[in-house]
Amino acid sequence: SGKALPMAVGGLVAGPLGAVVAGGQIATTNGTHVAVMALDASGTQQWRWPAQTEAIAGEVKSLETLASGSGYAVVGQLAEKVSVHRLSGGGDKLWTLSVADADVSGSCGAAATGDGGVLVLAGKTTGPSAGAAVLTRATPVGKAAWSKVFNAGGEPVITGLTRHGDTFVAAAGAAVTGQPTKSWLFAVNNAGLQLWARVGELAVAPAGIASMGDKLLLASTVVLDGVQRLRIDALGGAGGAVWNRTYGIAGMAVSAASGAPVTSGDGGFAALARGWDALDERYVLVRADPWGATSCEESGKCAQSQAAGCDDKNPCTIDVCDGKGGCLSKPADESAACGAGNYCMSGKCKAAPTAAVPVAGGTFAMGCNTETDALCAADEKPQRSITVGSFWIGAQEVSVGQYAK
């Protein structure tokens, strides 16, 4: 509409008539307050929560659309607590749930669970669980089904949460004093069971995460040739790297990625970053195809119209389109399913071993902790994080002859 609002935007989602926008901080004479407004296609306000006569102090960190357009979840630091407000499709408040044992660390994340509930991600910087990320499952009626704590060995810098198939993937940074912030990704199921985690594998501090088909898109910033740029990493189902690209405009430095990428109906995505040039603060909007290319020339022989040619029909490989190298296939995660009773191994589909069970990958601390153990041997140091991929293991011992088969 061209009208300026004195606020920081805390979220933007599609609404039935146009858009629903959450004002992270709306400045008033009585301080800063939150507000969620629904706009039609012409930008006219349809409803607002809370009403202007009901001011709620705080800051919105995330706005999530719930199942089948049944309403919205507003998550953030509201009334000095991390909480989620459940709104109906018409903007009426249905319930409020305060997230126990959590405070705001960088941001909050939210993801719809598909049944009208919501999963909330927040950080914890004080108390017994300081330095952890806290996941809370809110039921459709506003009760806490469970709340679980996750730790990566540093103060969490929460950046986002997305639903990816039947799992939920959280993106954060693990900040350690005097060291660069490490990337931290972990996935849980609907019951809060951690399925995998990857710590420090990407030399970036995440700024947002989104699901795109069978891949995850992670937004961050990176310094390239002395200039800061927007970076997008495409990751496989268990967080393994598939491709990454950097974006920028000549003469402009990017200061921060602005949230998670947004996927589009044609399989591509858009991403936004904030930066500056010689004159003023600017924004960079990137529109790319599913392989990160922003033009047909850049895509080369793997242009979007030829994307189907990159499918090698092997369920045990991840097929990607690289603008320079053409079609590339990488082995899928070990133990990935490729049919009833079969599993992937080294890029090939094989029958599952007799009496074998899958073991989910994860990250653990290897070595002796010198801060708690004064008797660490030289070959036990330093302690470090090790990530092991998913694999299969026999439930019982086998003979050499059986193993050879």
Side-chain angles (χ1 to χ4, degrees):
S1 66
K3 298 178 181 178
L5 294 174
M7 72 180 202
V9 176
L12 179 69
V13 296
L17 300 176
V20 177
V21 60
Q25 292 179 316
I26 295 183
T28 69
T29 56
N30 297 321
T32 57
H33 305 281
V34 303
V36 179
M37 294 165 285
L39 312 175
D40 63 16
S42 66
T44 302
Q45 180 176 304
Q46 300 300 300
W47 52 259
R48 169 177 170 155
W49 173 85
Q52 294 189 9
T53 56
E54 182 190 356
I56 299 180
E59 181 178 2
V60 173
K61 296 288 188 176
S62 182
L63 177 66
E64 178 73 12
T65 303
L66 298 182
S68 304
S70 61
Y72 309 94
V74 185
V75 181
Q77 186 174 357
L78 310 176
E80 299 183 354
K81 295 181 179 180
V82 176
S83 56
V84 52
H85 289 255
R86 170 73 159 86
L87 307 184
S88 69
D92 297 317
K93 188 180 77 171
L94 303 180
W95 49 259
T96 297
L97 174 67
S98 294
V99 179
D101 197 36
D103 51 34
V104 174
S105 178
S107 186
C108 295
T113 55
D115 59 357
V118 63
L119 194 64
V120 181
L121 172 69
K124 182 65 177 174
T125 58
T126 61
S129 300
V134 181
L135 270 178
T136 301
R137 170 76 155 82
T139 68
V141 295
K143 304 296 183 181
W146 50 259
S147 185
K148 298 191 177 184
V149 174
F150 301 86
N151 204 306
E155 182 176 318
V157 182
I158 306 301
T159 56
L161 178 70
T162 188
R163 182 167 183 168
H164 187 60
D166 294 330
T167 66
F168 300 88
V169 182
V176 179
T177 303
Q179 301 179 21
T181 300
K182 300 182 294 184
S183 63
W184 177 23
L185 304 175
F186 64 94
V188 301
N189 62 15
N190 217 5
L193 175 65
Q194 181 170 297
L195 304 177
W196 55 262
R198 293 181 179 268
V199 181
E201 294 188 16
L202 300 174
V204 297
I209 191 168
S211 177
M212 184 181 74
D214 61 346
K215 298 178 180 62
L216 294 161
L217 294 180
L218 185 71
S220 62
T221 55
V222 64
V223 176
L224 187 64
D225 296 329
V227 180
Q228 195 151 319
R229 294 284 186 253
L230 170 67
R231 171 168 162 162
I232 301 294
D233 284 83
L235 310 174
V242 177
W243 57 257
N244 71 76
R245 286 180 179 266
T246 57
Y247 307 90
I249 295 176
M252 177 177 173
V254 171
S255 59
S258 298
V262 178
T263 56
S264 54
D266 61 1
F269 66 90
L272 186 67
R274 185 176 72 251
W276 68 93
D277 59 17
L279 299 177
D280 203 352
E281 185 177 57
R282 308 288 186 188
Y283 281 87
V284 177
L285 178 63
V286 174
R287 177 72 172 87
D289 68 14
W291 303 275
T294 55
S295 68
C296 294
E297 291 78 11
E298 184 183 357
S299 297
K301 65 180 182 180
C302 277
Q304 185 173 322
S305 61
Q306 301 171 332
C310 285
D311 185 2
D312 64 0
K313 308 301 181 183
N314 182 353
C316 291
T317 60
I318 299 174
D319 306 314
V320 299
C321 175
D322 182 80
K324 297 180 180 179
C327 295
L328 302 176
S329 296
K330 300 180 179 180
D333 292 324
E334 298 293 307
S335 81
C338 56
N342 298 332
Y343 72 104
C344 293
M345 183 175 182
S346 301
K348 297 181 180 180
C349 188
K350 297 186 177 182
T354 304
V357 294
V359 179
T363 300
F364 67 97
M366 174 182 282
C368 188
N369 187 348
T370 56
E371 295 183 0
T372 59
D373 190 344
L375 301 177
C376 294
D379 60 353
E380 296 178 319
K381 300 181 289 186
Q383 189 179 67
R384 56 207 179 274
S385 294
I386 301 295
T387 298
V388 179
S390 300
F391 60 91
W392 289 78
I393 191 170
Q396 293 93 23
E397 294 177 343
V398 296
S399 67
V400 173
Q402 290 173 319
Y403 179 77
K405 296 179 181 180

